[in-house]
């Protein structure tokens, strides 16, 4: 494969990305080629930026096992930053609109690199139609399928073993599910994710971060005896009265996030293995946004 590939990081989630505009990408789309590239570069996926007839560009995402057809939140932020890096100018200033496997997305360029800083991208995710309590946790689709399990201490979880067991549970057949382990801390939700397609833990998962935020809100607003030991912490984190007041982002997120304007709705900070991200949405689980870094590595 002679096409130039770029290595990107979205909060530690690693991708190889290609500019497919006007080129034959058939070889790159082969599962065996995707598997080889991701294995050699130790990445969590591969993406192709292609032309769109009606929007700024089209995003293709593939897991390291060669499977595709799903959304990737960290990948969506990276490919928007990649479009900016390539010099693609959106139809609306600093606001991309692009096609993805789960539908249309928008991406706001909140920050471009300056010195050691990375891009900061606010990515619109799909609306969440349903949250299903199951197996002592919550199942939902945020562009791909996720199960969220709350735990006292996420650092104590054997993510590889427990994640693999839940990923293949019959309740999630036949596709299976991604699995997120979440602990509620005073500064936000701390998340670790076992990703299907990767078949292991990744440093971050954007759709998983989003699912964890929404599951935490559901936990706070739909108390149940089964989840009682987590309810008070969730209520404290998510405020009260349906979260009509903005929730301040943790100061630990850093200066890159402090300029973000607070708006009415639900806001929460989440810590992946390396970076902090921010998720915001309306109480009816619409207008869902994921904000975080995108970094060009090579």
């Amino acid at each position: 494969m002679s096409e130039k590939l770029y290595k990107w990081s979205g909060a530690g989630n690693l991708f190889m990305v290609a500019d497919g505009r006007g080129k034959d990408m058939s070889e790159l789309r082969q599962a065996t080629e995707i598997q080889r590239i991701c294995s050699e570069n130790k990445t969590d996926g591969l993406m192709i930026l292609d032309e769109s007839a009606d929007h700024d560009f089209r995003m293709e995402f593939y897991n390291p096992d060669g499977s595709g057809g799903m959304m990737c939140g960290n990948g969506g932020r990276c490919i928007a930053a990649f479009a900016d890096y390539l010099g693609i100018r959106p139809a609306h200033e600093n606001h991309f609109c692009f096609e993805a496997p789960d539908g249309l997305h928008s991406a706001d360029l909140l920050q471009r690199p300056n010195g050691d800083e990375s891009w900061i991208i606010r990515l619109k995710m799909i609306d969440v139609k349903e949250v299903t309590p199951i197996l002592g946790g919550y199942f939902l689709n945020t562009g791909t399928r996720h199960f969220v399990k709350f735990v006292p201490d996420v650092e104590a979880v054997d993510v590889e073993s427990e994640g693999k067991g839940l990923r293949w549970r019959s309740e999630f057949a036949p596709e299976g599910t991604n699995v997120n382990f979440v602990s509620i801390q005073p500064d936000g939700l701390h998340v670790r994710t076992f990703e299907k397609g990767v078949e292991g833990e990744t440093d971050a998962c954007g759709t998983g971060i989003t699912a964890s935020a929404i599951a935490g809100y559901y936990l706070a607003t739909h108390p149940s005896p089964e989840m009682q030991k987590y309810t008070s912490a969730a209520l404290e984190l998510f405020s009260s009265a349906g979260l009509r007041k903005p929730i301040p982002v943790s100061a630990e997120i850093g200066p890159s996030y402090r300029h973000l304007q607070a708006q009415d709705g639900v806001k929460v900070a989440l810590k992946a293995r390396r970076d902090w991200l921010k998720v915001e949405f309306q109480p009816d689980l619409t207008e869902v946004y994921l904000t975080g870094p995108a970094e060009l590595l090579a």
Side-chain angles (χ1 to χ4, degrees):
M1 178 71 203
S2 60
E3 180 60 39
K4 180 173 175 56
L5 297 172
Y6 299 79
K7 191 171 188 177
W8 284 81
S9 170
N13 217 178
L14 301 177
F15 310 98
M16 301 306 293
V17 189
D19 178 7
R21 295 173 298 165
K23 303 168 188 174
D24 181 3
M25 292 281 109
S26 56
E27 180 184 350
L28 189 58
R29 293 185 177 100
Q30 296 298 314
T32 53
E33 185 67 1
I34 294 166
Q35 292 164 6
R36 181 190 67 80
I37 290 170
C38 290
S39 176
E40 289 181 359
N41 293 279
K42 297 180 172 55
T43 57
D44 305 314
L46 181 144
M47 295 187 290
I48 300 172
L49 183 150
D50 209 346
E51 293 169 324
S52 167
D54 301 313
H55 302 95
D56 293 313
F57 61 88
R58 181 167 62 88
M59 167 190 176
E60 296 180 32
F61 173 77
Y62 299 94
N63 283 312
D65 64 0
S67 60
M70 69 287 295
M71 179 55 180
C72 175
N74 288 325
R77 291 200 323 280
C78 285
I79 207 163
F82 182 50
D84 185 59
Y85 171 80
L86 293 174
I88 298 173
R89 293 296 167 250
H92 303 283
E93 185 177 2
N94 294 331
H95 180 87
F96 283 112
C97 183
F98 65 94
E99 300 173 32
D102 64 337
L104 288 178
H105 289 263
S106 65
D108 296 317
L109 304 177
L110 302 181
Q111 174 181 287
R112 287 187 172 93
N114 182 11
D116 293 335
E117 294 178 334
S118 59
W119 279 267
I120 300 294
I121 307 292
R122 182 177 184 256
L123 177 70
K124 191 175 191 303
M125 308 294 284
I126 64 168
D127 296 343
V128 173
K129 305 297 185 185
E130 185 177 14
V131 179
T132 303
I134 187 173
L135 298 175
Y138 303 97
F139 178 74
L140 61 161
N141 191 319
T142 54
T144 189
R145 298 154 57 88
H146 282 275
F147 175 68
V148 179
K149 181 178 181 180
F150 288 90
V151 297
D153 179 10
V154 75
E155 297 303 325
V157 176
D158 185 342
V159 173
E160 296 293 333
S161 175
E162 292 191 41
K164 185 175 181 180
L166 288 164
R167 183 254 192 272
W168 291 111
R169 286 284 302 233
S170 60
E171 290 86 348
F172 307 122
E175 300 101 317
T177 186
N178 299 281
V179 182
N180 306 274
F181 300 94
V182 183
S183 59
I184 305 170
Q185 303 296 334
D187 58 356
L189 300 175
H190 292 213
V191 183
R192 296 176 68 183
T193 301
F194 182 97
E195 285 200 54
K196 69 185 184 78
V198 177
E199 304 309 329
E201 183 178 10
T202 57
D203 282 345
C205 174
T207 52
I209 287 284
T210 305
S212 298
I214 290 173
Y217 170 73
Y218 190 93
L219 169 62
T221 55
H222 296 74
S224 68
E226 187 176 18
M227 302 298 291
Q228 185 175 4
K229 62 182 178 180
Y230 301 111
T231 302
S232 60
L235 282 168
E236 184 175 352
L237 177 65
F238 280 89
S239 185
S240 60
L243 302 179
R244 295 188 181 91
K245 296 187 296 183
I247 295 176
V249 176
S250 166
E252 292 184 40
I253 283 184
S256 295
Y257 288 76
R258 290 180 187 147
H259 68 284
L260 300 183
Q261 297 276 332
Q263 300 174 5
D264 289 340
V266 184
K267 297 178 181 2
V268 65
L270 299 97
K271 177 69 164 57
R273 300 306 290 158
R274 194 188 77 174
D275 290 333
W276 284 94
L277 298 100
K278 174 184 172 184
V279 174
E280 53 192 307
F281 51 92
Q282 294 302 310
D284 62 357
L285 310 186
T286 62
E287 297 299 312
V288 182
Y289 290 88
L290 170 68
T291 300
E295 181 182 3
L296 177 61
L297 301 179

